[in-house]
Amino acid sequence: MGKQQMTEMLKGTLEGIVLAIVASEPAYGYEITAKLRDEGFSDIVEGTVYALLVRIEQRGLVDVTKVPSEKGPPRKVYSLNAQGGEYLEEFWKSWSFLAERIEQLHHHHHTDNPQHEGE
Amino acid sequence: MGKQQMTEMLKGTLEGIVLAIVASEPAYGYEITAKLRDEGFSDIVEGTVYALLVRIEQRGLVDVTKVPSEKGPPRKVYSLNAQGGEYLEEFWKSWSFLAERIEQLHHHHHTDNPQHEGE
DNA sequence: CGGCGGTATTCGGTGTCACTATGTACTGGT
DNA sequence: ACCAGTACATAGTGACACCGAATACCGCCG
């Protein structure tokens, strides 16, 4: 699968994915990265996720709590707040809009059987 | 709908959208822009499309033919070539992969079923 | 003791992309 | 001559995912 393509496609959507994850249950960065790997996003590394988390925190979409860990430095646990919830709703609207139109093109591509004689 | 979100989401996907359009039928830039507007992408302007077309041409994904116009400068008509076809296939794979996983999250969010049993 | 691997976060630099804004070129109508 | 519509081009901007390296904390093995 085009890795380069996936990278570009993830722009904008990865943010929504992560917000959706913390929406379902508060989580910390390392954990989120592991979840993403579980979900099949095997190429997403820590650095990418942490940078994203910093961004959404600075935008006030998530609340952060520091929780000590037994196995390393303290964890920063992120949870979606009200503003983040609204933002996530907007994300789903944008996603649905885009997905609908692209699926149309995709479908077109499959079914479109030009017994090419329209000529 | 978050315009900013849509801008980021289009990264990577707009390329696929345009390739899908020229795959179904050769077209020139101005025409493609109009089609996109028709499809609901009302904020995409010429400049964006032209820059994209230059890119995919330089990557050898499309063939170009200059065709005189009665109403302005000559049109550059783009058509998908073999390499572009392969690339588009890869795009659909990446898209399907991503869309599946995101729809899962979306669905989860709606039918909000807290099945926390791995606890 | 000292290094090593797993946990957990941070950060500077890179490349790509859609967007903005502007400019150029060609035509027909008034 | 001017203007609006058609058609293309492009330099600069901001946002984002990625890369690589560094730091901190812990337990274990030699």
Side-chain angles (χ1 to χ4, degrees), chain A residues 51-78:
Chain A
L52 195 159
L53 290 172
V54 166
R55 257 201 329 270
I56 63 179
E57 178 185 0
Q58 277 168 352
R59 289 192 187 161
L61 306 177
V62 286
D63 292 334
V64 188
T65 318
K66 229 166 198 169
V67 177
S69 164
E70 301 136 10
K71 307 195 121 194
R75 297 166 175 169
K76 286 180 72 176
V77 175
Y78 295 83

mmCIF file of all heavy atoms in Angstrom, chain A residues 51-78:
data_model
loop_
_atom_site.group_PDB
_atom_site.id
_atom_site.type_symbol
_atom_site.label_atom_id
_atom_site.label_comp_id
_atom_site.label_asym_id
_atom_site.label_seq_id
_atom_site.Cartn_x
_atom_site.Cartn_y
_atom_site.Cartn_z
ATOM 1 N N ALA A 51 3.406 14.849 19.145
ATOM 2 C CA ALA A 51 3.290 16.180 18.538
ATOM 3 C C ALA A 51 1.828 16.564 18.377
ATOM 4 O O ALA A 51 1.430 17.693 18.656
ATOM 5 C CB ALA A 51 3.998 16.206 17.189
ATOM 6 N N LEU A 52 1.043 15.604 17.959
ATOM 7 C CA LEU A 52 -0.392 15.834 17.780
ATOM 8 C C LEU A 52 -1.055 16.147 19.118
ATOM 9 O O LEU A 52 -1.881 17.062 19.217
ATOM 10 C CB LEU A 52 -0.999 14.577 17.162
ATOM 11 C CG LEU A 52 -2.389 14.639 16.553
ATOM 12 C CD1 LEU A 52 -2.565 13.483 15.579
ATOM 13 C CD2 LEU A 52 -3.466 14.597 17.613
ATOM 14 N N LEU A 53 -0.670 15.417 20.141
ATOM 15 C CA LEU A 53 -1.263 15.619 21.468
ATOM 16 C C LEU A 53 -0.956 17.011 22.000
ATOM 17 O O LEU A 53 -1.813 17.652 22.609
ATOM 18 C CB LEU A 53 -0.752 14.541 22.430
ATOM 19 C CG LEU A 53 -1.285 13.130 22.158
ATOM 20 C CD1 LEU A 53 -0.576 12.098 23.023
ATOM 21 C CD2 LEU A 53 -2.792 13.067 22.387
ATOM 22 N N VAL A 54 0.270 17.452 21.769
ATOM 23 C CA VAL A 54 0.639 18.807 22.194
ATOM 24 C C VAL A 54 -0.284 19.822 21.517
ATOM 25 O O VAL A 54 -0.776 20.748 22.150
ATOM 26 C CB VAL A 54 2.111 19.103 21.831
ATOM 27 C CG1 VAL A 54 2.405 20.589 21.955
ATOM 28 C CG2 VAL A 54 3.048 18.304 22.718
ATOM 29 N N ARG A 55 -0.510 19.600 20.232
ATOM 30 C CA ARG A 55 -1.362 20.525 19.475
ATOM 31 C C ARG A 55 -2.774 20.597 20.019
ATOM 32 O O ARG A 55 -3.289 21.676 20.294
ATOM 33 C CB ARG A 55 -1.414 20.107 17.999
ATOM 34 C CG ARG A 55 -0.578 20.920 17.108
ATOM 35 C CD ARG A 55 -0.972 20.865 15.648
ATOM 36 N NE ARG A 55 -1.555 19.635 15.197
ATOM 37 C CZ ARG A 55 -0.869 18.596 14.709
ATOM 38 N NH1 ARG A 55 0.444 18.659 14.654
ATOM 39 N NH2 ARG A 55 -1.485 17.538 14.285
ATOM 40 N N ILE A 56 -3.393 19.445 20.172
ATOM 41 C CA ILE A 56 -4.788 19.462 20.621
ATOM 42 C C ILE A 56 -4.913 19.940 22.071
ATOM 43 O O ILE A 56 -5.947 20.478 22.450
ATOM 44 C CB ILE A 56 -5.464 18.079 20.440
ATOM 45 C CG1 ILE A 56 -4.803 17.008 21.285
ATOM 46 C CG2 ILE A 56 -5.468 17.679 18.975
ATOM 47 C CD1 ILE A 56 -5.458 15.648 21.139
ATOM 48 N N GLU A 57 -3.843 19.774 22.820
ATOM 49 C CA GLU A 57 -3.880 20.304 24.186
ATOM 50 C C GLU A 57 -3.844 21.828 24.155
ATOM 51 O O GLU A 57 -4.618 22.501 24.827
ATOM 52 C CB GLU A 57 -2.696 19.777 24.998
ATOM 53 C CG GLU A 57 -2.676 20.337 26.417
ATOM 54 C CD GLU A 57 -1.437 19.908 27.202
ATOM 55 O OE1 GLU A 57 -0.608 19.173 26.619
ATOM 56 O OE2 GLU A 57 -1.309 20.329 28.363
ATOM 57 N N GLN A 58 -2.952 22.358 23.304
ATOM 58 C CA GLN A 58 -2.833 23.815 23.220
ATOM 59 C C GLN A 58 -4.078 24.465 22.643
ATOM 60 O O GLN A 58 -4.347 25.635 22.872
ATOM 61 C CB GLN A 58 -1.609 24.192 22.389
ATOM 62 C CG GLN A 58 -0.332 24.168 23.216
ATOM 63 C CD GLN A 58 0.924 24.251 22.377
ATOM 64 O OE1 GLN A 58 0.856 24.188 21.159
ATOM 65 N NE2 GLN A 58 2.063 24.381 23.025
ATOM 66 N N ARG A 59 -4.840 23.699 21.897
ATOM 67 C CA ARG A 59 -6.091 24.223 21.352
ATOM 68 C C ARG A 59 -7.243 24.074 22.335
ATOM 69 O O ARG A 59 -8.367 24.444 22.030
ATOM 70 C CB ARG A 59 -6.449 23.483 20.068
ATOM 71 C CG ARG A 59 -5.527 23.837 18.942
ATOM 72 C CD ARG A 59 -6.074 23.333 17.650
ATOM 73 N NE ARG A 59 -5.114 23.534 16.589
ATOM 74 C CZ ARG A 59 -5.157 22.879 15.449
ATOM 75 N NH1 ARG A 59 -6.108 22.007 15.233
ATOM 76 N NH2 ARG A 59 -4.264 23.110 14.517
ATOM 77 N N GLY A 60 -6.954 23.469 23.442
ATOM 78 C CA GLY A 60 -7.981 23.331 24.469
ATOM 79 C C GLY A 60 -9.045 22.306 24.154
ATOM 80 O O GLY A 60 -10.181 22.410 24.602
ATOM 81 N N LEU A 61 -8.698 21.297 23.379
ATOM 82 C CA LEU A 61 -9.676 20.269 23.032
ATOM 83 C C LEU A 61 -9.669 19.113 24.018
ATOM 84 O O LEU A 61 -10.610 18.310 24.042
ATOM 85 C CB LEU A 61 -9.388 19.735 21.616
ATOM 86 C CG LEU A 61 -9.295 20.789 20.516
ATOM 87 C CD1 LEU A 61 -8.935 20.147 19.180
ATOM 88 C CD2 LEU A 61 -10.623 21.536 20.389
ATOM 89 N N VAL A 62 -8.606 19.040 24.804
ATOM 90 C CA VAL A 62 -8.491 17.937 25.766
ATOM 91 C C VAL A 62 -8.029 18.457 27.134
ATOM 92 O O VAL A 62 -7.389 19.492 27.218
ATOM 93 C CB VAL A 62 -7.466 16.887 25.271
ATOM 94 C CG1 VAL A 62 -8.032 16.069 24.125
ATOM 95 C CG2 VAL A 62 -6.157 17.552 24.874
ATOM 96 N N ASP A 63 -8.377 17.714 28.162
ATOM 97 C CA ASP A 63 -7.857 17.995 29.493
ATOM 98 C C ASP A 63 -6.751 16.986 29.791
ATOM 99 O O ASP A 63 -6.803 15.855 29.320
ATOM 100 C CB ASP A 63 -8.972 17.870 30.537
ATOM 101 C CG ASP A 63 -10.000 18.977 30.351
ATOM 102 O OD1 ASP A 63 -9.639 20.043 29.823
ATOM 103 O OD2 ASP A 63 -11.165 18.760 30.736
ATOM 104 N N VAL A 64 -5.787 17.423 30.585
ATOM 105 C CA VAL A 64 -4.634 16.579 30.851
ATOM 106 C C VAL A 64 -4.439 16.357 32.350
ATOM 107 O O VAL A 64 -4.581 17.282 33.135
ATOM 108 C CB VAL A 64 -3.353 17.222 30.279
ATOM 109 C CG1 VAL A 64 -2.185 16.259 30.379
ATOM 110 C CG2 VAL A 64 -3.567 17.666 28.841
ATOM 111 N N THR A 65 -4.150 15.126 32.694
ATOM 112 C CA THR A 65 -3.830 14.801 34.083
ATOM 113 C C THR A 65 -2.546 14.002 34.117
ATOM 114 O O THR A 65 -2.365 13.091 33.319
ATOM 115 C CB THR A 65 -4.941 13.937 34.720
ATOM 116 O OG1 THR A 65 -6.201 14.454 34.323
ATOM 117 C CG2 THR A 65 -4.811 13.942 36.220
ATOM 118 N N LYS A 66 -1.676 14.355 35.055
ATOM 119 C CA LYS A 66 -0.430 13.618 35.182
ATOM 120 C C LYS A 66 -0.626 12.486 36.185
ATOM 121 O O LYS A 66 -1.074 12.705 37.299
ATOM 122 C CB LYS A 66 0.692 14.543 35.643
ATOM 123 C CG LYS A 66 1.930 14.400 34.784
ATOM 124 C CD LYS A 66 2.913 15.532 35.023
ATOM 125 C CE LYS A 66 3.898 15.629 33.873
ATOM 126 N NZ LYS A 66 4.711 16.833 33.897
ATOM 127 N N VAL A 67 -0.291 11.287 35.745
ATOM 128 C CA VAL A 67 -0.476 10.111 36.597
ATOM 129 C C VAL A 67 0.836 9.352 36.691
ATOM 130 O O VAL A 67 1.419 9.011 35.667
ATOM 131 C CB VAL A 67 -1.559 9.183 36.015
ATOM 132 C CG1 VAL A 67 -1.708 7.922 36.852
ATOM 133 C CG2 VAL A 67 -2.884 9.912 35.896
ATOM 134 N N PRO A 68 1.310 9.080 37.906
ATOM 135 C CA PRO A 68 2.575 8.353 38.050
ATOM 136 C C PRO A 68 2.491 6.936 37.470
ATOM 137 O O PRO A 68 1.433 6.311 37.517
ATOM 138 C CB PRO A 68 2.772 8.295 39.566
ATOM 139 C CG PRO A 68 1.431 8.565 40.154
ATOM 140 C CD PRO A 68 0.717 9.434 39.184
ATOM 141 N N SER A 69 3.598 6.490 36.944
ATOM 142 C CA SER A 69 3.672 5.139 36.398
ATOM 143 C C SER A 69 4.680 4.328 37.184
ATOM 144 O O SER A 69 5.630 4.862 37.746
ATOM 145 C CB SER A 69 4.085 5.213 34.930
ATOM 146 O OG SER A 69 4.531 3.957 34.464
ATOM 147 N N GLU A 70 4.465 3.023 37.217
ATOM 148 C CA GLU A 70 5.415 2.175 37.945
ATOM 149 C C GLU A 70 6.607 1.812 37.076
ATOM 150 O O GLU A 70 7.607 1.323 37.550
ATOM 151 C CB GLU A 70 4.731 0.872 38.385
ATOM 152 C CG GLU A 70 3.518 1.081 39.270
ATOM 153 C CD GLU A 70 2.381 0.170 38.845
ATOM 154 O OE1 GLU A 70 2.626 -0.712 38.006
ATOM 155 O OE2 GLU A 70 1.269 0.367 39.352
ATOM 156 N N LYS A 71 6.452 2.032 35.802
ATOM 157 C CA LYS A 71 7.474 1.522 34.885
ATOM 158 C C LYS A 71 8.216 2.599 34.116
ATOM 159 O O LYS A 71 8.911 2.311 33.161
ATOM 160 C CB LYS A 71 6.819 0.573 33.885
ATOM 161 C CG LYS A 71 6.023 -0.528 34.532
ATOM 162 C CD LYS A 71 5.721 -1.610 33.522
ATOM 163 C CE LYS A 71 6.289 -2.921 33.979
ATOM 164 N NZ LYS A 71 6.322 -3.931 32.939
ATOM 165 N N GLY A 72 8.055 3.824 34.495
ATOM 166 C CA GLY A 72 8.728 4.880 33.747
ATOM 167 C C GLY A 72 8.289 6.243 34.221
ATOM 168 O O GLY A 72 7.734 6.374 35.320
ATOM 169 N N PRO A 73 8.533 7.261 33.426
ATOM 170 C CA PRO A 73 8.140 8.623 33.783
ATOM 171 C C PRO A 73 6.629 8.731 33.908
ATOM 172 O O PRO A 73 5.907 7.869 33.405
ATOM 173 C CB PRO A 73 8.647 9.455 32.594
ATOM 174 C CG PRO A 73 9.529 8.567 31.809
ATOM 175 C CD PRO A 73 9.183 7.167 32.134
ATOM 176 N N PRO A 74 6.153 9.767 34.573
ATOM 177 C CA PRO A 74 4.710 9.929 34.742
ATOM 178 C C PRO A 74 3.969 10.009 33.408
ATOM 179 O O PRO A 74 4.474 10.559 32.436
ATOM 180 C CB PRO A 74 4.587 11.250 35.516
ATOM 181 C CG PRO A 74 5.904 11.912 35.395
ATOM 182 C CD PRO A 74 6.906 10.836 35.218
ATOM 183 N N ARG A 75 2.773 9.480 33.395
ATOM 184 C CA ARG A 75 1.959 9.502 32.187
ATOM 185 C C ARG A 75 1.130 10.771 32.117
ATOM 186 O O ARG A 75 0.647 11.261 33.137
ATOM 187 C CB ARG A 75 1.011 8.302 32.191
ATOM 188 C CG ARG A 75 1.723 6.978 32.162
ATOM 189 C CD ARG A 75 0.761 5.877 32.520
ATOM 190 N NE ARG A 75 1.385 4.566 32.388
ATOM 191 C CZ ARG A 75 0.856 3.435 32.836
ATOM 192 N NH1 ARG A 75 -0.311 3.454 33.444
ATOM 193 N NH2 ARG A 75 1.478 2.295 32.669
ATOM 194 N N LYS A 76 0.957 11.262 30.918
ATOM 195 C CA LYS A 76 0.041 12.393 30.719
ATOM 196 C C LYS A 76 -1.239 11.841 30.105
ATOM 197 O O LYS A 76 -1.272 11.514 28.918
ATOM 198 C CB LYS A 76 0.673 13.436 29.803
ATOM 199 C CG LYS A 76 1.772 14.241 30.466
ATOM 200 C CD LYS A 76 2.371 15.276 29.524
ATOM 201 C CE LYS A 76 1.434 16.431 29.260
ATOM 202 N NZ LYS A 76 2.094 17.474 28.403
ATOM 203 N N VAL A 77 -2.263 11.767 30.925
ATOM 204 C CA VAL A 77 -3.525 11.173 30.471
ATOM 205 C C VAL A 77 -4.433 12.257 29.885
ATOM 206 O O VAL A 77 -4.744 13.246 30.545
ATOM 207 C CB VAL A 77 -4.237 10.448 31.636
ATOM 208 C CG1 VAL A 77 -5.593 9.939 31.178
ATOM 209 C CG2 VAL A 77 -3.369 9.318 32.167
ATOM 210 N N TYR A 78 -4.844 12.047 28.650
ATOM 211 C CA TYR A 78 -5.687 13.008 27.933
ATOM 212 C C TYR A 78 -7.137 12.553 27.934
ATOM 213 O O TYR A 78 -7.429 11.379 27.716
ATOM 214 C CB TYR A 78 -5.210 13.138 26.493
ATOM 215 C CG TYR A 78 -3.826 13.732 26.356
ATOM 216 C CD1 TYR A 78 -2.694 12.939 26.493
ATOM 217 C CD2 TYR A 78 -3.661 15.092 26.112
ATOM 218 C CE1 TYR A 78 -1.422 13.482 26.376
ATOM 219 C CE2 TYR A 78 -2.398 15.642 25.993
ATOM 220 C CZ TYR A 78 -1.277 14.832 26.127
ATOM 221 O OH TYR A 78 -0.033 15.374 26.022
#
